[in-house]
Amino acid sequence: MFSFLFHKKVAELKKEMRETKEDLLNVSSYLDDLFSFLPIAVCDLNPSWVISNTNKSFEKLTGYTQVEIVGERLEKIFLEKEKIKGIQTELLNLKEIEIKNVELTLITREEKEVAVNVSFAVRRDARGNIVGFFVGITDISKLKKIQDETEQKIVQRTKELEKSRKALLNILEDTEEARRRAEEERKKTEVIIKNFVDGMLAFNKTKKLILINPKAEEFLKTKAAEVLGKDIRVLKKKNRRWAQLFKTAGEGMKEVFRKEMAISKSFFLEITTTIVESQGKENLILVILHDISREKLIEQMKSQFVSVAAHQLRTPLSIIKWSLSLLKEEKEFNREEKDLVLKAYQTNERMINLVNDLLNVARIEEGRFVYEPKIVEFSEIVESVYNSLKEYARQKKIEFKLEISEGKKIVKVDVEKISLAVKNLIENALKYTPEKGKVEVSVKERKRRHELVFSVRDTGVGIPKDQQERIFTKFFRGANVVRMQTEGTGLGLFITKNIIEAHGGKIWFKSQENKGTIFYFTLPLSF
Amino acid sequence: MDKKILIIEDEEILLDLLREKLRALGFKVFTASDGEAGLAAIREINPDLILLDIVMPKMGGFEVMEEMQKDPSIKDIPVIIISNSGQPVELDKAKQLGAKDWLIKTEFDPKEVISKVFNVLERTDSDYN
């Protein structure tokens, strides 16, 4: 019975052992599976640093099969062999749970170098004796690569940054240089403006004063601090000179060129207004005040001289005129003598015309060319001048026509002066048109503009293109005209222009050399 | 014709020319060569017409006319100005002072001066009638 029981017990134990063994095997295989499944390459080392076991990942990473590598020392698969020996000594002092991590270079079976992180842990038995080591190897080559790349990138980036920093510094330097130059330029300009002999004012778009130089302060009897930033409405009430300035230049501040402004009998300013586009942006209105007192004084003296001289000349001229005119009627003279007297008389007439022209110019310049306006029919003036010149045209065999459009042309003019203007233009046309040419005078009405247009068209020598600009200036005579006829003062058109403009009219011409000229002027109608 | 004409003119040649011309036409011609003498002559002679220069020594033509205005006995004697200049201001002034006409010497012949003389005399004659 006992034996039976014993056998039974043994059988049970055996069974249990078998089962336990089976269980252990299962666990072991489970652990093996788990071990081999781990993605980290792992190997066991015995206490003498010899590989005793590896897993699948180890095989994969190193290229060595378990059979090939088990029994080899760990140094075999690493580049840093000496370092590994050192680690072995270090590990002996390592506490149980500590893990040592070292970066090493793995040499695979194909002798490829792979950067790896190696983790070491010590295996101890229950009594604490070292029974071996665990080694886990992680491929960090990718990480390394990324790290290297990153580092390279950082280096690259740093270089780039350095470059941009330098570029930026250069830019800053350039900017500084430009700023310095601009500042220098500004200072220079400021000095120039400050010491400029002319007065200078600048207005912005909204017509506020933004600049006034010391000369302008002096001319306008004003202090910069009191006027800067003020607009025209305020400024014109500042004092008489400011008011006069805006009256002369116009409150619209359009461009004016050398307009005269009399401050007193001996103080004259010339105003020039220019609109300056500053950097294509805001329009600046620049006003230059130029002192022309000295020029005016000289001009006045000159005019006075001419005026006195002309008056003094007139007396003897009238004596000659009257004497010759009496001699002209002398019946006892023979033809030759009569002709001589007539020529002397005509020459004297020319002299009188010249003196009259000079006197008129002197008066215009002195501002004494007084106008005495009367309400008259303009056509009558033209007709009267036309009739007085008919004989001259007939002598020159010129086809001489007058055309006056219908309707009244009432103007308020100084008859004597307007007659002179009309006469100057028609006479010029006749004078500089060769024989058998044509001169057409016309008067028309421009209803919409409420003005009349007078014109004289000739088939004369014309005005050379390069001289057209100067035609209205004093003493100017066209080169072709001088060759043709020596007589002439070059004052007629200057006087004519002054007369027309003083009446609020405009004068202009179109001309082609050797073809002819048309002169026009307008006069405002009174009714 | 026994009309009395007084010429007040400082320019001797012009004076002579006019005097001869007018005398030949039968006028009684008197002359003075400055304003002062002229004014005295006006009072003394009481002419029918005066030819008066403007710019003269001692007393100018305008002054002579101003003096005439103050004296009712000679105030209405017709005056023709003969001058070297003809500015509108001067013409205005002459008109205000009662001048009948204005001649600019360089623009008129003695012939035309004579016809003006006849014109003015005719006008004043018709005024009386």
Side-chain angles (χ1 to χ4, degrees):
Chain A
M1 188 56 202
F2 178 77
S3 134
F4 171 74
L5 282 171
F6 178 77
H7 278 290
K8 199 183 169 190
K9 194 72 187 169
V10 167
E12 274 175 11
L13 276 170
K14 267 186 180 172
K15 192 188 169 198
E16 207 171 312
M17 267 180 72
R18 205 171 49 240
E19 277 171 5
T20 311
K21 204 178 170 184
E22 246 170 54
D23 282 350
L24 272 171
L25 275 172
N26 280 344
V27 169
S28 167
S29 120
Y30 170 77
L31 280 173
D32 273 347
D33 282 350
L34 191 69
F35 192 53
S36 61
F37 173 75
L38 273 178
I40 302 166
V42 181
C43 67
D44 289 348
L45 299 181
N46 66 11
S48 49
W49 215 246
V50 172
I51 299 169
S52 58
N53 194 10
T54 61
N55 71 347
K56 279 269 184 290
S57 295
F58 183 95
E59 286 182 349
K60 206 171 153 195
L61 180 65
T62 61
Y64 291 105
T65 59
Q66 198 173 35
V67 180
E68 281 171 329
I69 201 68
V70 169
E72 298 286 345
R73 286 186 63 87
L74 186 68
E75 293 95 298
K76 181 182 169 76
I77 58 166
F78 288 104
L79 186 67
E80 302 87 346
K81 307 205 187 297
E82 286 309 306
K83 198 173 177 187
I84 287 171
K85 279 180 189 161
I87 293 167
Q88 192 183 359
T89 341
E90 261 180 69
L91 285 176
L92 299 174
N93 302 320
L94 210 64
K95 281 187 190 129
E96 198 168 355
I97 45 159
E98 267 182 312
I99 291 169
K100 185 174 174 60
N101 289 305
V102 189
E103 271 184 28
L104 293 167
T105 311
L106 177 83
I107 297 168
T108 66
R109 194 168 181 268
E110 283 86 32
E111 300 197 337
K112 219 171 87 191
E113 290 183 7
V114 182
V116 288
N117 179 63
V118 187
S119 310
F120 296 91
V122 186
R123 280 172 68 200
R124 290 171 198 272
D125 62 11
R127 283 182 298 273
N129 295 319
I130 294 173
V131 289
F133 306 92
F134 283 127
V135 179
I137 307 164
T138 322
D139 181 356
I140 56 163
S141 60
K142 272 187 191 158
L143 202 71
K144 267 273 184 212
K145 206 176 149 198
I146 290 169
Q147 207 175 355
D148 282 356
E149 274 173 11
T150 312
E151 256 165 40
Q152 262 175 16
K153 263 187 197 162
I154 288 169
V155 169
Q156 179 79 11
R157 238 0 222 280
T158 313
K159 269 186 197 161
E160 275 169 19
L161 275 172
E162 182 64 16
K163 251 195 213 164
S164 346
R165 199 183 65 89
K166 270 187 187 158
L168 199 65
L169 278 176
N170 280 339
I171 292 170
L172 280 174
E173 244 169 61
D174 288 353
T175 316
E176 177 59 24
E177 173 69 18
R179 202 193 56 76
R180 203 179 51 74
R181 259 191 239 146
E183 178 67 14
E184 241 171 54
E185 210 53 44
R186 199 185 62 79
K187 272 189 191 150
K188 235 193 274 169
T189 315
E190 209 176 85
V191 169
I192 292 170
I193 290 175
K194 260 198 177 160
N195 296 290
F196 207 47
V197 285
D198 286 346
M200 239 182 186
L201 303 171
F203 293 88
N204 66 11
K205 220 165 141 193
T206 54
K207 293 184 185 150
K208 279 194 179 130
L209 185 70
I210 55 166
L211 181 146
I212 177 165
N213 75 344
K215 206 74 199 175
E217 287 179 86
E218 183 193 318
F219 286 163
L220 294 166
K221 275 196 171 166
T222 202
K223 284 267 179 308
E226 291 168 15
V227 290
L228 277 173
K230 302 275 180 348
D231 70 6
I232 293 177
R233 274 166 304 168
V234 179
L235 292 173
K236 70 175 179 183
K237 287 178 191 144
K238 207 85 202 157
N239 64 30
R240 202 177 61 86
R241 291 188 183 184
W242 276 104
Q244 214 180 341
L245 171 69
F246 293 120
K247 210 176 153 194
T248 311
E251 278 177 43
M253 302 300 269
K254 299 270 160 54
E255 297 212 346
V256 295
F257 185 64
R258 293 189 173 175
K259 260 202 173 174
E260 254 176 58
M261 170 171 141
I263 303 249
S264 72
K265 272 192 178 166
S266 57
F267 183 23
F268 295 86
L269 288 179
E270 196 178 67
I271 319 279
T272 302
T273 306
T274 350
I275 294 165
V276 192
E277 223 172 71
S278 115
Q279 292 152 358
K281 272 196 227 155
E282 197 179 7
N283 283 337
L284 272 184
I285 305 161
L286 197 64
V287 183
I288 305 284
L289 312 172
H290 180 57
D291 186 352
I292 50 160
S293 306
R294 205 181 130 73
E295 286 96 318
K296 285 297 273 187
L297 182 72
I298 292 167
E299 206 174 273
Q300 263 170 27
M301 282 162 65
K302 191 190 71 188
S303 301
Q304 271 163 14
F305 168 75
V306 173
S307 185
V308 167
H311 268 294
Q312 293 307 313
L313 280 169
R314 267 182 162 186
T315 306
L317 284 172
S318 53
I319 292 167
I320 296 167
K321 181 184 169 94
W322 286 23
S323 307
L324 288 171
S325 111
L326 287 177
L327 281 177
K328 255 192 341 183
E329 283 154 37
E330 186 58 60
K331 296 201 171 64
E332 279 166 37
F333 281 161
N334 62 30
R335 239 180 88 187
E336 212 177 313
E337 286 163 338
K338 264 192 177 169
D339 196 42
L340 217 60
V341 172
L342 187 67
K343 275 188 180 140
Y345 181 84
Q346 281 167 349
T347 310
N348 190 54
E349 284 297 298
R350 260 171 59 188
M351 189 76 133
I352 289 168
N353 280 334
L354 171 63
V355 170
N356 284 345
D357 276 356
L358 280 172
L359 209 56
N360 279 334
V361 168
R363 282 181 189 141
I364 285 169
E365 286 176 347
E366 257 178 275
R368 283 209 295 132
F369 202 46
V370 188
Y371 292 92
E372 193 191 28
K374 269 187 206 145
I375 302 280
V376 287
E377 169 59 55
F378 180 71
S379 312
E380 282 172 17
I381 296 177
V382 179
E383 269 164 4
S384 143
V385 174
Y386 174 80
N387 289 332
S388 73
L389 290 167
K390 256 185 184 166
E391 176 55 24
Y392 178 52
R394 200 189 54 79
Q395 281 170 15
K396 274 194 86 177
K397 298 187 179 71
I398 287 171
E399 195 184 326
F400 189 33
K401 277 190 194 162
L402 170 64
E403 200 187 310
I404 298 175
S405 72
E406 280 194 21
K408 286 191 171 170
K409 286 157 205 73
I410 307 296
V411 285
K412 194 177 178 191
V413 296
D414 181 321
V415 177
E416 193 196 328
K417 301 295 185 315
I418 288 293
S419 301
L420 181 63
V422 169
K423 189 178 145 218
N424 277 346
L425 292 178
I426 302 180
E427 218 169 42
N428 271 355
L430 291 169
K431 211 149 106 184
Y432 301 117
T433 296
E435 284 201 1
K436 289 170 187 163
K438 225 195 248 180
V439 171
E440 292 168 329
V441 181
S442 112
V443 182
K444 279 177 189 150
E445 204 178 333
R446 260 192 201 163
K447 276 198 179 127
R448 219 184 315 146
R449 289 191 166 178
H450 204 62
E451 64 186 14
L452 63 83
V453 187
F454 168 89
S455 71
V456 190
R457 177 199 294 267
D458 67 43
T459 56
V461 290
I463 305 157
K465 203 149 198 143
D466 60 327
Q467 296 176 10
Q468 292 191 353
E469 235 175 70
R470 294 159 62 200
I471 205 77
F472 289 114
T473 44
K474 220 175 3 174
F475 298 113
F476 180 79
R477 296 188 71 212
N480 54 344
V481 149
V482 175
R483 275 197 300 276
M484 191 179 160
Q485 199 157 8
T486 44
E487 189 198 330
T489 58
L491 294 171
L493 285 175
F494 172 78
I495 295 167
T496 304
K497 186 176 192 274
N498 271 281
I499 293 171
I500 298 304
E501 286 177 354
H503 282 88
K506 259 193 261 169
I507 184 164
W508 72 98
F509 65 90
K510 288 178 195 160
S511 186
Q512 234 184 323
E513 208 178 347
N514 298 322
K515 289 239 169 105
T517 306
I518 318 176
F519 267 94
Y520 301 90
F521 71 71
T522 60
L523 282 178
L525 288 168
S526 275
F527 291 100
Chain B
M1 204 182 287
D2 52 358
K3 294 264 189 219
K4 290 180 281 183
I5 295 178
L6 173 62
I7 310 167
I8 310 172
E9 161 72 67
D10 64 330
E11 203 55 60
E12 213 180 309
I13 304 170
L14 289 181
L15 193 70
D16 288 347
L17 278 171
L18 274 177
R19 182 174 50 205
E20 291 317 309
K21 197 83 190 164
L22 288 165
R23 261 193 195 151
L25 288 163
F27 291 106
K28 277 187 179 166
V29 186
F30 303 86
T31 62
S33 46
D34 67 69
E36 255 176 36
L39 193 63
I42 296 168
R43 294 202 165 107
E44 198 192 316
I45 302 154
N46 194 24
D48 295 289
L49 179 79
I50 302 164
L51 291 172
L52 179 65
D53 190 11
I54 294 294
V55 186
M56 284 184 297
K58 287 182 191 170
M59 187 189 278
F62 284 127
E63 257 181 283
V64 171
M65 290 184 85
E66 274 160 7
E67 288 302 316
M68 283 172 70
Q69 291 297 305
K70 290 177 198 164
D71 185 344
S73 64
I74 53 171
K75 178 172 165 273
D76 293 322
I77 300 171
V79 173
I80 296 175
I81 305 278
I82 41 172
S83 167
N84 255 328
S85 145
Q87 282 301 287
V89 265
E90 295 170 318
L91 290 169
D92 273 352
K93 195 171 178 186
K95 258 185 216 160
Q96 274 167 24
L97 291 169
K100 297 287 174 197
D101 215 329
W102 181 288
L103 290 169
I104 297 167
K105 290 176 204 168
T106 48
E107 281 167 33
F108 290 91
D109 287 344
K111 211 163 59 176
E112 290 165 296
V113 179
I114 304 296
S115 71
K116 291 258 181 202
V117 166
F118 276 112
N119 263 342
V120 172
L121 283 175
E122 263 168 42
R123 264 192 300 178
T124 41
D125 276 354
S126 60
D127 281 352
Y128 286 124
N129 300 335

